[in-house]
mmCIF file of all heavy atoms in Angstrom:
data_model
loop_
_atom_site.group_PDB
_atom_site.id
_atom_site.type_symbol
_atom_site.label_atom_id
_atom_site.label_comp_id
_atom_site.label_asym_id
_atom_site.label_seq_id
_atom_site.Cartn_x
_atom_site.Cartn_y
_atom_site.Cartn_z
ATOM 1 N N GLU P 592 1.047 -12.118 -1.902
ATOM 2 C CA GLU P 592 0.536 -13.212 -2.787
ATOM 3 C C GLU P 592 0.118 -12.637 -4.125
ATOM 4 O O GLU P 592 0.550 -13.212 -5.249
ATOM 5 C CB GLU P 592 -0.457 -14.040 -2.156
ATOM 6 C CG GLU P 592 -0.096 -14.847 -0.936
ATOM 7 C CD GLU P 592 -1.166 -15.421 -0.118
ATOM 8 O OE1 GLU P 592 -2.334 -15.136 -0.410
ATOM 9 O OE2 GLU P 592 -0.839 -16.120 0.797
ATOM 10 N N LEU P 593 -0.509 -11.637 -4.167
ATOM 11 C CA LEU P 593 -1.103 -11.005 -5.490
ATOM 12 C C LEU P 593 0.140 -10.476 -6.268
ATOM 13 O O LEU P 593 0.082 -10.664 -7.450
ATOM 14 C CB LEU P 593 -2.056 -9.955 -5.092
ATOM 15 C CG LEU P 593 -2.911 -9.392 -6.298
ATOM 16 C CD1 LEU P 593 -3.713 -10.489 -6.822
ATOM 17 C CD2 LEU P 593 -3.757 -8.233 -5.896
ATOM 18 N N TYR P 594 1.029 -9.741 -5.668
ATOM 19 C CA TYR P 594 2.098 -9.134 -6.415
ATOM 20 C C TYR P 594 3.167 -10.117 -6.741
ATOM 21 O O TYR P 594 4.070 -9.913 -7.636
ATOM 22 C CB TYR P 594 2.640 -7.845 -5.724
ATOM 23 C CG TYR P 594 1.756 -6.633 -5.949
ATOM 24 C CD1 TYR P 594 0.658 -6.428 -5.134
ATOM 25 C CD2 TYR P 594 1.921 -5.724 -6.945
ATOM 26 C CE1 TYR P 594 -0.213 -5.383 -5.325
ATOM 27 C CE2 TYR P 594 1.167 -4.718 -7.177
ATOM 28 C CZ TYR P 594 0.061 -4.505 -6.348
ATOM 29 O OH TYR P 594 -0.779 -3.450 -6.603
ATOM 30 N N GLY P 595 3.331 -11.267 -5.861
ATOM 31 C CA GLY P 595 4.360 -12.160 -6.212
ATOM 32 C C GLY P 595 5.753 -11.910 -5.751
ATOM 33 O O GLY P 595 6.692 -12.669 -5.904
ATOM 34 N N ASP P 596 5.960 -10.660 -5.280
ATOM 35 C CA ASP P 596 7.350 -10.193 -4.976
ATOM 36 C C ASP P 596 7.147 -9.166 -3.897
ATOM 37 O O ASP P 596 6.447 -8.131 -4.179
ATOM 38 C CB ASP P 596 8.037 -9.686 -6.106
ATOM 39 C CG ASP P 596 9.566 -9.535 -5.842
ATOM 40 O OD1 ASP P 596 9.953 -9.280 -4.692
ATOM 41 O OD2 ASP P 596 10.386 -9.502 -6.764
ATOM 42 N N ARG P 597 7.846 -9.358 -2.737
ATOM 43 C CA ARG P 597 7.526 -8.434 -1.570
ATOM 44 C C ARG P 597 8.172 -7.008 -1.926
ATOM 45 O O ARG P 597 7.796 -6.077 -1.267
ATOM 46 C CB ARG P 597 8.135 -9.035 -0.358
ATOM 47 C CG ARG P 597 9.673 -9.259 -0.354
ATOM 48 C CD ARG P 597 10.008 -10.179 0.736
ATOM 49 N NE ARG P 597 11.389 -10.071 1.071
ATOM 50 C CZ ARG P 597 11.967 -10.480 2.158
ATOM 51 N NH1 ARG P 597 11.270 -11.205 3.042
ATOM 52 N NH2 ARG P 597 13.202 -10.364 2.330
ATOM 53 N N LYS P 598 9.025 -6.957 -2.827
ATOM 54 C CA LYS P 598 9.673 -5.554 -3.155
ATOM 55 C C LYS P 598 8.669 -4.550 -3.555
ATOM 56 O O LYS P 598 8.759 -3.435 -3.457
ATOM 57 C CB LYS P 598 10.754 -5.795 -4.225
ATOM 58 C CG LYS P 598 10.260 -6.026 -5.592
ATOM 59 C CD LYS P 598 11.372 -6.113 -6.578
ATOM 60 C CE LYS P 598 10.945 -6.356 -8.021
ATOM 61 N NZ LYS P 598 12.037 -6.514 -8.914
ATOM 62 N N PHE P 599 7.542 -5.082 -4.240
ATOM 63 C CA PHE P 599 6.438 -4.212 -4.580
ATOM 64 C C PHE P 599 5.717 -3.504 -3.488
ATOM 65 O O PHE P 599 4.948 -2.543 -3.701
ATOM 66 C CB PHE P 599 5.514 -4.832 -5.519
ATOM 67 C CG PHE P 599 6.021 -5.308 -6.863
ATOM 68 C CD1 PHE P 599 6.302 -6.585 -7.197
ATOM 69 C CD2 PHE P 599 6.461 -4.290 -7.791
ATOM 70 C CE1 PHE P 599 6.819 -6.906 -8.400
ATOM 71 C CE2 PHE P 599 7.057 -4.721 -9.018
ATOM 72 C CZ PHE P 599 7.335 -5.998 -9.212
ATOM 73 N N LEU P 600 5.892 -4.101 -2.257
ATOM 74 C CA LEU P 600 5.193 -3.555 -1.162
ATOM 75 C C LEU P 600 6.033 -2.520 -0.240
ATOM 76 O O LEU P 600 5.502 -2.070 0.681
ATOM 77 C CB LEU P 600 4.822 -4.709 -0.187
ATOM 78 C CG LEU P 600 3.753 -5.564 -0.724
ATOM 79 C CD1 LEU P 600 3.917 -6.964 -0.529
ATOM 80 C CD2 LEU P 600 2.335 -5.126 -0.060
ATOM 81 N N LEU P 601 7.277 -2.409 -0.653
ATOM 82 C CA LEU P 601 8.260 -1.620 0.105
ATOM 83 C C LEU P 601 8.347 -0.182 -0.426
ATOM 84 O O LEU P 601 8.592 0.066 -1.630
ATOM 85 C CB LEU P 601 9.563 -2.241 0.127
ATOM 86 C CG LEU P 601 9.624 -3.620 0.891
ATOM 87 C CD1 LEU P 601 10.939 -4.240 0.535
ATOM 88 C CD2 LEU P 601 9.326 -3.434 2.333
ATOM 89 N N ASN P 602 8.393 0.724 0.475
ATOM 90 C CA ASN P 602 8.585 2.149 0.140
ATOM 91 C C ASN P 602 10.144 2.386 0.175
ATOM 92 O O ASN P 602 10.679 2.781 1.190
ATOM 93 C CB ASN P 602 7.904 3.061 1.131
ATOM 94 C CG ASN P 602 8.215 4.511 1.007
ATOM 95 O OD1 ASN P 602 8.769 4.950 -0.031
ATOM 96 N ND2 ASN P 602 8.082 5.372 2.094
ATOM 97 N N THR P 603 10.825 1.944 -0.953
ATOM 98 C CA THR P 603 12.202 1.930 -1.003
ATOM 99 C C THR P 603 12.895 3.268 -0.996
ATOM 100 O O THR P 603 14.069 3.461 -0.809
ATOM 101 C CB THR P 603 12.736 1.124 -2.184
ATOM 102 O OG1 THR P 603 12.249 1.574 -3.367
ATOM 103 C CG2 THR P 603 12.330 -0.406 -2.034
ATOM 104 N N SER P 604 12.082 4.413 -1.193
ATOM 105 C CA SER P 604 12.524 5.704 -1.282
ATOM 106 C C SER P 604 12.584 6.414 0.024
ATOM 107 O O SER P 604 13.023 7.539 0.188
ATOM 108 C CB SER P 604 11.976 6.566 -2.365
ATOM 109 O OG SER P 604 10.536 6.615 -2.092
ATOM 110 N N GLY P 605 11.973 5.728 1.018
ATOM 111 C CA GLY P 605 11.730 6.469 2.317
ATOM 112 C C GLY P 605 12.968 6.302 3.246
ATOM 113 O O GLY P 605 13.764 5.418 3.168
ATOM 114 N N ILE P 606 12.883 7.139 4.175
ATOM 115 C CA ILE P 606 14.004 7.266 5.211
ATOM 116 C C ILE P 606 14.082 5.963 6.030
ATOM 117 O O ILE P 606 15.240 5.506 6.254
ATOM 118 C CB ILE P 606 13.690 8.495 6.186
ATOM 119 C CG1 ILE P 606 14.223 9.752 5.605
ATOM 120 C CG2 ILE P 606 14.201 8.238 7.555
ATOM 121 C CD1 ILE P 606 14.040 10.988 6.400
ATOM 122 N N ILE P 607 12.985 5.429 6.388
ATOM 123 C CA ILE P 607 12.974 4.188 7.214
ATOM 124 C C ILE P 607 13.677 2.997 6.539
ATOM 125 O O ILE P 607 14.555 2.362 6.980
ATOM 126 C CB ILE P 607 11.529 3.672 7.668
ATOM 127 C CG1 ILE P 607 10.935 4.806 8.410
ATOM 128 C CG2 ILE P 607 11.608 2.610 8.520
ATOM 129 C CD1 ILE P 607 11.580 5.276 9.660
ATOM 130 N N TYR P 608 13.314 2.807 5.126
ATOM 131 C CA TYR P 608 13.949 1.749 4.390
ATOM 132 C C TYR P 608 15.366 1.998 4.301
ATOM 133 O O TYR P 608 16.220 1.057 4.461
ATOM 134 C CB TYR P 608 13.268 1.668 3.038
ATOM 135 C CG TYR P 608 13.890 0.658 2.150
ATOM 136 C CD1 TYR P 608 13.391 -0.679 2.213
ATOM 137 C CD2 TYR P 608 14.811 0.868 1.257
ATOM 138 C CE1 TYR P 608 13.888 -1.664 1.410
ATOM 139 C CE2 TYR P 608 15.430 -0.130 0.484
ATOM 140 C CZ TYR P 608 14.884 -1.375 0.556
ATOM 141 O OH TYR P 608 15.463 -2.386 -0.221
ATOM 142 N N ARG P 609 15.879 3.265 3.992
ATOM 143 C CA ARG P 609 17.201 3.535 3.881
ATOM 144 C C ARG P 609 18.065 3.448 5.049
ATOM 145 O O ARG P 609 19.118 3.005 5.127
ATOM 146 C CB ARG P 609 17.418 5.016 3.245
ATOM 147 C CG ARG P 609 17.036 5.061 1.844
ATOM 148 C CD ARG P 609 17.319 6.389 1.101
ATOM 149 N NE ARG P 609 17.126 7.605 1.897
ATOM 150 C CZ ARG P 609 16.097 8.435 1.658
ATOM 151 N NH1 ARG P 609 15.166 8.097 0.692
ATOM 152 N NH2 ARG P 609 15.825 9.457 2.418
ATOM 153 N N SER P 610 17.332 3.689 6.317
ATOM 154 C CA SER P 610 18.049 3.592 7.607
ATOM 155 C C SER P 610 18.218 2.087 7.915
ATOM 156 O O SER P 610 19.350 1.678 8.559
ATOM 157 C CB SER P 610 17.364 4.265 8.679
ATOM 158 O OG SER P 610 16.118 3.633 9.011
ATOM 159 N N ILE P 611 17.213 1.217 7.531
ATOM 160 C CA ILE P 611 17.459 -0.241 7.758
ATOM 161 C C ILE P 611 18.506 -0.761 6.840
ATOM 162 O O ILE P 611 19.418 -1.596 7.192
ATOM 163 C CB ILE P 611 16.226 -0.949 7.706
ATOM 164 C CG1 ILE P 611 15.141 -0.578 8.723
ATOM 165 C CG2 ILE P 611 16.262 -2.388 7.633
ATOM 166 C CD1 ILE P 611 13.692 -0.963 8.624
ATOM 167 N N GLY P 612 18.428 -0.323 5.556
ATOM 168 C CA GLY P 612 19.323 -0.848 4.494
ATOM 169 C C GLY P 612 18.716 -1.926 3.769
ATOM 170 O O GLY P 612 18.086 -2.913 4.192
ATOM 171 N N SER P 613 18.940 -1.858 2.390
ATOM 172 C CA SER P 613 18.349 -2.952 1.483
ATOM 173 C C SER P 613 18.938 -4.304 1.820
ATOM 174 O O SER P 613 18.235 -5.361 1.671
ATOM 175 C CB SER P 613 18.646 -2.472 -0.045
ATOM 176 O OG SER P 613 19.937 -2.478 -0.250
ATOM 177 N N ASP P 614 20.232 -4.463 2.118
ATOM 178 C CA ASP P 614 20.797 -5.703 2.493
ATOM 179 C C ASP P 614 20.191 -6.447 3.620
ATOM 180 O O ASP P 614 19.832 -7.609 3.622
ATOM 181 C CB ASP P 614 22.301 -5.592 2.753
ATOM 182 C CG ASP P 614 23.194 -5.280 1.494
ATOM 183 O OD1 ASP P 614 22.610 -5.468 0.424
ATOM 184 O OD2 ASP P 614 24.176 -4.658 1.565
ATOM 185 N N VAL P 615 19.930 -5.636 4.637
ATOM 186 C CA VAL P 615 19.125 -6.194 5.818
ATOM 187 C C VAL P 615 17.747 -6.667 5.584
ATOM 188 O O VAL P 615 17.213 -7.726 5.915
ATOM 189 C CB VAL P 615 19.159 -5.149 7.052
ATOM 190 C CG1 VAL P 615 18.230 -5.598 8.217
ATOM 191 C CG2 VAL P 615 20.501 -4.766 7.500
ATOM 192 N N VAL P 616 17.089 -5.830 4.726
ATOM 193 C CA VAL P 616 15.696 -6.141 4.382
ATOM 194 C C VAL P 616 15.691 -7.436 3.530
ATOM 195 O O VAL P 616 14.783 -8.298 3.745
ATOM 196 C CB VAL P 616 14.997 -5.028 3.566
ATOM 197 C CG1 VAL P 616 13.737 -5.405 2.932
ATOM 198 C CG2 VAL P 616 14.810 -3.781 4.478
ATOM 199 N N LYS P 617 16.712 -7.530 2.532
ATOM 200 C CA LYS P 617 16.741 -8.793 1.636
ATOM 201 C C LYS P 617 16.886 -9.998 2.620
ATOM 202 O O LYS P 617 16.480 -11.084 2.110
ATOM 203 C CB LYS P 617 17.837 -8.569 0.657
ATOM 204 C CG LYS P 617 17.529 -7.549 -0.424
ATOM 205 C CD LYS P 617 18.608 -7.397 -1.417
ATOM 206 C CE LYS P 617 18.456 -6.250 -2.353
ATOM 207 N NZ LYS P 617 19.602 -6.030 -3.176
ATOM 208 N N LYS P 618 17.650 -9.984 3.647
ATOM 209 C CA LYS P 618 17.936 -11.115 4.405
ATOM 210 C C LYS P 618 16.779 -11.500 5.438
ATOM 211 O O LYS P 618 16.907 -12.569 5.942
ATOM 212 C CB LYS P 618 19.158 -10.835 5.310
ATOM 213 C CG LYS P 618 20.432 -10.774 4.499
ATOM 214 C CD LYS P 618 21.672 -10.486 5.298
ATOM 215 C CE LYS P 618 22.925 -10.303 4.433
ATOM 216 N NZ LYS P 618 24.050 -9.831 5.167
ATOM 217 N N MET P 619 15.751 -10.616 5.499
ATOM 218 C CA MET P 619 14.649 -10.994 6.382
ATOM 219 C C MET P 619 13.802 -12.011 5.695
ATOM 220 O O MET P 619 13.642 -12.031 4.501
ATOM 221 C CB MET P 619 13.787 -9.710 6.587
ATOM 222 C CG MET P 619 14.398 -8.620 7.392
ATOM 223 S SD MET P 619 13.145 -7.219 7.497
ATOM 224 C CE MET P 619 14.058 -6.030 8.529
ATOM 225 N N THR P 620 13.298 -12.824 6.599
ATOM 226 C CA THR P 620 12.188 -13.717 6.109
ATOM 227 C C THR P 620 10.919 -13.032 5.808
ATOM 228 O O THR P 620 10.841 -11.764 6.272
ATOM 229 C CB THR P 620 11.886 -14.917 7.229
ATOM 230 O OG1 THR P 620 11.340 -14.091 8.355
ATOM 231 C CG2 THR P 620 13.217 -15.599 7.671
ATOM 232 N N ASP P 621 10.022 -13.538 5.097
ATOM 233 C CA ASP P 621 8.830 -12.978 4.822
ATOM 234 C C ASP P 621 8.072 -12.540 6.182
ATOM 235 O O ASP P 621 7.484 -11.486 6.266
ATOM 236 C CB ASP P 621 7.850 -13.838 3.934
ATOM 237 C CG ASP P 621 8.254 -13.895 2.475
ATOM 238 O OD1 ASP P 621 9.219 -13.053 2.071
ATOM 239 O OD2 ASP P 621 7.771 -14.714 1.805
ATOM 240 N N ASN P 622 8.031 -13.394 7.069
ATOM 241 C CA ASN P 622 7.411 -13.263 8.437
ATOM 242 C C ASN P 622 8.098 -12.155 9.115
ATOM 243 O O ASN P 622 7.393 -11.143 9.594
ATOM 244 C CB ASN P 622 7.355 -14.499 9.235
ATOM 245 C CG ASN P 622 6.226 -14.401 10.288
ATOM 246 O OD1 ASN P 622 5.173 -13.998 10.014
ATOM 247 N ND2 ASN P 622 6.696 -14.547 11.504
ATOM 248 N N GLU P 623 9.336 -12.007 9.075
ATOM 249 C CA GLU P 623 10.110 -10.894 9.684
ATOM 250 C C GLU P 623 9.803 -9.596 9.006
ATOM 251 O O GLU P 623 9.629 -8.615 9.691
ATOM 252 C CB GLU P 623 11.606 -11.081 9.682
ATOM 253 C CG GLU P 623 12.156 -12.180 10.577
ATOM 254 C CD GLU P 623 13.554 -12.574 10.352
ATOM 255 O OE1 GLU P 623 14.093 -12.395 9.177
ATOM 256 O OE2 GLU P 623 14.206 -13.065 11.318
ATOM 257 N N LEU P 624 9.631 -9.611 7.721
ATOM 258 C CA LEU P 624 9.382 -8.399 6.966
ATOM 259 C C LEU P 624 7.873 -8.033 7.290
ATOM 260 O O LEU P 624 7.701 -6.773 7.464
ATOM 261 C CB LEU P 624 9.553 -8.614 5.470
ATOM 262 C CG LEU P 624 9.334 -7.361 4.618
ATOM 263 C CD1 LEU P 624 10.182 -6.162 4.996
ATOM 264 C CD2 LEU P 624 9.457 -7.694 3.134
ATOM 265 N N LEU P 625 7.049 -8.924 7.331
ATOM 266 C CA LEU P 625 5.663 -8.577 7.639
ATOM 267 C C LEU P 625 5.580 -7.922 9.036
ATOM 268 O O LEU P 625 4.925 -6.863 9.192
ATOM 269 C CB LEU P 625 4.712 -9.828 7.630
ATOM 270 C CG LEU P 625 4.339 -10.433 6.315
ATOM 271 C CD1 LEU P 625 3.781 -11.806 6.456
ATOM 272 C CD2 LEU P 625 3.452 -9.460 5.635
ATOM 273 N N GLU P 626 6.173 -8.500 9.999
ATOM 274 C CA GLU P 626 6.228 -7.902 11.341
ATOM 275 C C GLU P 626 6.917 -6.433 11.307
ATOM 276 O O GLU P 626 6.299 -5.533 11.935
ATOM 277 C CB GLU P 626 6.990 -8.787 12.314
ATOM 278 C CG GLU P 626 6.328 -10.135 12.642
ATOM 279 C CD GLU P 626 4.908 -9.953 13.189
ATOM 280 O OE1 GLU P 626 4.682 -8.962 14.043
ATOM 281 O OE2 GLU P 626 4.025 -10.744 12.717
ATOM 282 N N GLN P 627 7.920 -6.328 10.485
ATOM 283 C CA GLN P 627 8.516 -4.940 10.377
ATOM 284 C C GLN P 627 7.679 -3.972 9.748
ATOM 285 O O GLN P 627 7.478 -2.784 10.200
ATOM 286 C CB GLN P 627 9.912 -5.106 9.611
ATOM 287 C CG GLN P 627 10.751 -3.844 9.645
ATOM 288 C CD GLN P 627 11.359 -3.648 10.950
ATOM 289 O OE1 GLN P 627 11.761 -4.617 11.677
ATOM 290 N NE2 GLN P 627 11.245 -2.365 11.387
ATOM 291 N N LEU P 628 6.866 -4.403 8.666
ATOM 292 C CA LEU P 628 5.851 -3.505 8.124
ATOM 293 C C LEU P 628 4.782 -3.015 9.020
ATOM 294 O O LEU P 628 4.387 -1.946 9.012
ATOM 295 C CB LEU P 628 5.271 -4.182 6.892
ATOM 296 C CG LEU P 628 6.152 -4.430 5.657
ATOM 297 C CD1 LEU P 628 5.565 -5.322 4.659
ATOM 298 C CD2 LEU P 628 6.551 -3.079 5.017
ATOM 299 N N ILE P 629 4.371 -4.006 9.871
ATOM 300 C CA ILE P 629 3.328 -3.694 10.736
ATOM 301 C C ILE P 629 3.723 -2.727 11.933
ATOM 302 O O ILE P 629 3.111 -1.756 12.276
ATOM 303 C CB ILE P 629 2.709 -4.955 11.416
ATOM 304 C CG1 ILE P 629 1.905 -5.644 10.430
ATOM 305 C CG2 ILE P 629 1.884 -4.482 12.611
ATOM 306 C CD1 ILE P 629 1.610 -7.104 10.773
ATOM 307 N N MET P 630 5.090 -2.956 12.380
ATOM 308 C CA MET P 630 5.661 -2.053 13.423
ATOM 309 C C MET P 630 6.078 -0.767 12.875
ATOM 310 O O MET P 630 5.990 0.319 13.579
ATOM 311 C CB MET P 630 6.946 -2.778 14.092
ATOM 312 C CG MET P 630 6.594 -3.925 14.983
ATOM 313 S SD MET P 630 8.069 -4.586 15.753
ATOM 314 C CE MET P 630 9.488 -4.098 14.932
ATOM 315 N N GLU P 631 6.492 -0.751 11.585
ATOM 316 C CA GLU P 631 6.845 0.530 10.962
ATOM 317 C C GLU P 631 6.200 0.659 9.641
ATOM 318 O O GLU P 631 6.757 0.487 8.618
ATOM 319 C CB GLU P 631 8.325 0.519 10.806
ATOM 320 C CG GLU P 631 8.934 1.903 10.354
ATOM 321 C CD GLU P 631 8.356 3.072 11.028
ATOM 322 O OE1 GLU P 631 8.910 3.466 12.116
ATOM 323 O OE2 GLU P 631 7.507 3.757 10.388
ATOM 324 N N PRO P 632 4.862 1.210 9.747
ATOM 325 C CA PRO P 632 4.081 1.213 8.478
ATOM 326 C C PRO P 632 4.611 2.197 7.440
ATOM 327 O O PRO P 632 4.213 2.078 6.269
ATOM 328 C CB PRO P 632 2.700 1.636 8.964
ATOM 329 C CG PRO P 632 2.899 2.108 10.351
ATOM 330 C CD PRO P 632 4.152 1.561 10.879
#
Side-chain angles (χ1 to χ4, degrees):
E592 291 170 354
L593 190 65
Y594 280 87
D596 191 335
R597 62 194 202 168
K598 72 179 181 183
F599 292 112
L600 289 139
L601 294 169
N602 176 16
T603 57
S604 62
I606 275 178
I607 302 298
Y608 181 85
R609 290 193 309 260
S610 70
I611 293 171
S613 63
D614 289 338
V615 173
V616 172
K617 286 176 187 172
K618 291 177 185 173
M619 289 179 181
T620 65
D621 284 348
N622 199 51
E623 289 171 334
L624 182 59
L625 283 168
E626 293 303 321
Q627 191 68 43
L628 290 169
I629 291 165
M630 285 184 347
E631 186 44 80

